[in-house]
């Protein structure tokens, strides 16, 4: 076993976090990041004395660890993500991706009821902000982490945090450093929409998710980005995140689907996302910038994502016509109300493209 592989002690979380903290220390600018380096070294020392607990740790955000241990272990990762220094942000993103994809983080983000949830909320916020660093690898790392967070049945991302994740991917699509990253951002958005609304239909976090087809997603638009190598790269990118990690059973987050008002948390957040997509599709150019091509691309993207919602619409949308139409009436032109009425009233086999 190499030195990097042995770092982090015996706990499952420690074996993931330890090597990443070591890499952060080596990549840091020591004078500029002395506090970060000190935090990483302190956490590495702490991890050597921590093992997975056999007692109930349901209040902790990290599987097998106490709440206090979990927060102290995640703190240097947050500092690295928040540093705006690509050389330490990148290993922190990779580590966070592993924690999410392996089901080691169990949390409801946007709640004060779970001890330690604030550190994960802060980490997600820092991840979203790091997308603006203008680094190709960082953009891809951000997309990977955000999709893994939404995909994980162990994490319930709610309300503003869900919207923030979607807007971050949206902004990478509009201003990504290259065409491949833009295709990845659009593909991640479509996959997130598919995941969210599959859960909305079943009112459950642990659902079977259909992987999106990148080539179909780009069939009618983004012809300038439609290159075979990029499409293959992005399809593999999506597949790697969405497919379960082999040999790692994920224990779904035990969430009460009912909020304070008696409604479903999962469905409430799904409709909130739907409403925000409608709003984005209705943004208008300003007098100062009447020919805003980025705004136009954003509007088209929003409409394409709404089409993804409708293409995957199930019984909930057909049986709750009044509720869905209330959103459409408030946020979309009459044409789309007619389209929705067509979707819910026409047998699936009779629908035209």
């Amino acid at each position: 076993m190499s030195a990097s592989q042995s770092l982090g002690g015996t706990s499952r979380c420690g074996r993931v976090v330890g090597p990443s903290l070591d890499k952060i220390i080596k990549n840091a600018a020591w004078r500029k990041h002395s506090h970060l380096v000190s935090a990483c070294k302190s956490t590495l020392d702490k991890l050597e004395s921590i093992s997975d607990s056999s007692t109930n740790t349901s209040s902790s955000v990290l599987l097998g660890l106490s709440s206090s241990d979990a927060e102290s272990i995640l703190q240097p990762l947050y500092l690295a993500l928040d540093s705006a220094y690509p050389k330490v942000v990148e290993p922190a993103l990779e580590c966070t991706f592993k924690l999410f994809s392996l089901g080691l983080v169990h949390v409801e983000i946007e709640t004060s009821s779970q001890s330690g949830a604030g550190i994960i909320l802060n980490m997600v916020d820092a991840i979203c902000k790091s997308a603006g660093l203008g680094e190709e690898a960082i953009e891809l790392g951000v997309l990977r982490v955000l999709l893994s967070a939404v995909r994980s049945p162990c994490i319930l991302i709610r309300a503003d945090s869900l919207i923030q994740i979607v807007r971050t991917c949206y902004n990478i699509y509009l201003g990504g450093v290259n065409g491949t990253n833009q295709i990845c951002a659009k593909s991640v958005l479509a996959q997130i929409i598919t995941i969210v609304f599959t859960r909305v239909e079943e009112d459950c976090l642990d659902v079977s998710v259909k992987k999106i087809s990148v080539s179909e997603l780009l069939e009618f638009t983004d012809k300038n980005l439609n290159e075979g190598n990029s499409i293959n790269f992005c399809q593999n990118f999506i597949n790697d995140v969405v497919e379960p990690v082999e040999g790692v059973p994920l224990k779904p987050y035990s969430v009460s689907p009912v909020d304070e008002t008696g409604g479903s948390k999962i469905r409430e957040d799904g409709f909130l996302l739907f409403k925000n997509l409608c709003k984005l599709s209705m943004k208008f150019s300003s007098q100062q910038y009447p020919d805003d091509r980025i705004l136009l691309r954003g509007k088209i993207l929003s409409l394409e994502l709404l089409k993804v919602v409708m293409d995957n619409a199930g019984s909930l949308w057909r049986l709750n016509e009044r509720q869905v139409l209330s959103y459409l009436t408030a946020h979309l032109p009459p044409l789309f109300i007619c389209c929705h009425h067509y979707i819910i009233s026409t047998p699936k086999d009779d629908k035209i493209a």
Side-chain angles (χ1 to χ4, degrees):
M1 183 178 291
S2 68
S4 63
Q5 288 175 316
S6 64
L7 286 168
T10 61
S11 69
R12 284 167 289 182
C13 291
R15 290 196 296 269
V16 172
V17 174
S20 296
L21 295 183
D22 183 57
K23 190 170 184 179
I24 289 169
I25 291 170
K26 292 175 179 176
N27 290 355
W30 282 56
R31 290 184 179 179
K32 184 178 180 181
H33 303 122
S34 58
H35 179 59
L36 170 60
V37 171
S38 175
C40 289
K41 288 183 174 181
S42 176
T43 299
L44 281 172
D45 291 339
K46 186 180 184 67
L47 285 170
E48 293 298 325
S49 63
I50 294 176
S51 59
D52 287 320
S53 174
S54 58
T55 59
N56 182 16
T57 56
S58 60
S59 63
S60 174
V61 297
L62 288 182
L63 195 63
L65 303 182
S66 69
S67 295
S68 59
D69 285 342
E71 185 149 6
S72 63
I73 288 168
L74 291 172
Q75 183 63 22
L77 284 178
Y78 163 67
L79 293 175
L81 291 167
D82 196 48
S83 69
Y85 187 63
K87 288 185 178 180
V88 298
V89 170
E90 193 169 351
L93 286 171
E94 181 61 29
C95 181
T96 308
F97 168 69
K98 290 177 181 178
L99 290 173
F100 288 168
S101 62
L102 293 173
L104 295 175
V105 175
H106 284 235
V107 66
E108 179 177 336
I109 301 177
E110 285 278 336
T111 180
S112 58
S113 62
Q114 186 181 4
S115 175
I119 185 67
I120 299 293
L121 179 63
N122 291 339
M123 288 173 66
V124 170
D125 183 60
I127 289 165
C128 291
K129 288 179 180 176
S130 67
L133 293 176
E135 295 271 342
E136 179 179 348
I138 299 296
E139 284 184 352
L140 290 175
V142 168
L143 291 171
R144 182 179 287 109
V145 174
L146 295 183
L147 179 55
S148 69
V150 175
R151 174 66 183 98
S152 174
C154 309
I155 303 172
L156 175 61
I157 303 173
R158 300 216 56 217
D160 291 341
S161 288
L162 178 60
I163 302 305
Q164 181 186 28
I165 285 173
V166 169
R167 285 179 179 270
T168 298
C169 300
Y170 189 97
N171 289 335
I172 293 176
Y173 169 74
L174 294 178
V177 296
N178 60 43
T180 298
N181 283 24
Q182 291 176 336
I183 294 174
C184 275
K186 185 173 184 177
S187 304
V188 165
L189 278 168
Q191 190 65 69
I192 286 175
I193 295 299
T194 301
I195 293 168
V196 168
F197 287 97
T198 300
R199 288 173 172 166
V200 166
E201 286 288 344
E202 300 189 28
D203 200 14
C204 176
L205 279 178
D206 191 16
V207 296
S208 177
V209 175
K210 180 179 76 173
K211 292 192 290 289
I212 61 108
S213 168
V214 176
S215 59
E216 290 180 7
L217 186 66
L218 301 178
E219 187 173 358
F220 299 111
T221 58
D222 291 316
K223 291 182 179 178
N224 58 317
L225 304 178
N226 196 342
E227 299 177 3
N229 290 338
S230 294
I231 290 175
N232 291 335
F233 174 87
C234 295
Q235 187 66 65
N236 291 331
F237 183 93
I238 293 292
N239 294 347
D240 289 344
V241 179
V242 174
E243 291 175 356
V245 179
E246 187 175 350
V248 180
L250 299 185
K251 181 182 177 183
Y253 179 64
S254 179
V255 57
S256 168
V258 179
D259 63 16
E260 309 80 42
T261 64
S264 163
K265 294 178 181 179
I266 294 171
R267 289 180 173 174
E268 176 187 337
D269 292 332
F271 282 115
L272 176 64
L273 176 55
F274 182 78
K275 182 172 70 173
N276 273 268
L277 288 175
C278 292
K279 286 181 176 179
L280 287 170
S281 73
M282 291 295 291
K283 276 194 170 184
F284 294 101
S285 303
S286 65
Q287 289 183 342
Q288 187 177 3
Y289 301 103
D291 186 23
D292 191 334
R293 296 188 65 82
I294 292 181
L295 178 63
L296 178 60
R297 288 183 69 223
K299 287 164 69 73
I300 292 172
L301 173 63
S302 302
L303 292 172
E304 289 179 304
L305 294 176
L306 287 168
K307 182 179 182 296
V308 173
V309 177
M310 295 305 180
D311 284 345
N312 292 279
S315 59
L316 177 71
W317 295 83
R318 292 190 290 271
L319 298 176
N320 292 272
E321 180 176 357
R322 179 177 298 177
Q323 182 180 15
V324 177
L325 283 178
S326 68
Y327 285 107
L328 289 166
T329 304
H331 302 291
L332 285 177
L335 171 61
F336 284 90
I337 301 175
C338 295
C339 290
H340 177 69
H341 182 72
Y342 169 74
I343 288 170
I344 63 176
S345 61
T346 307
K348 188 172 183 180
D349 291 340
D350 295 338
K351 289 189 177 87
I352 60 174

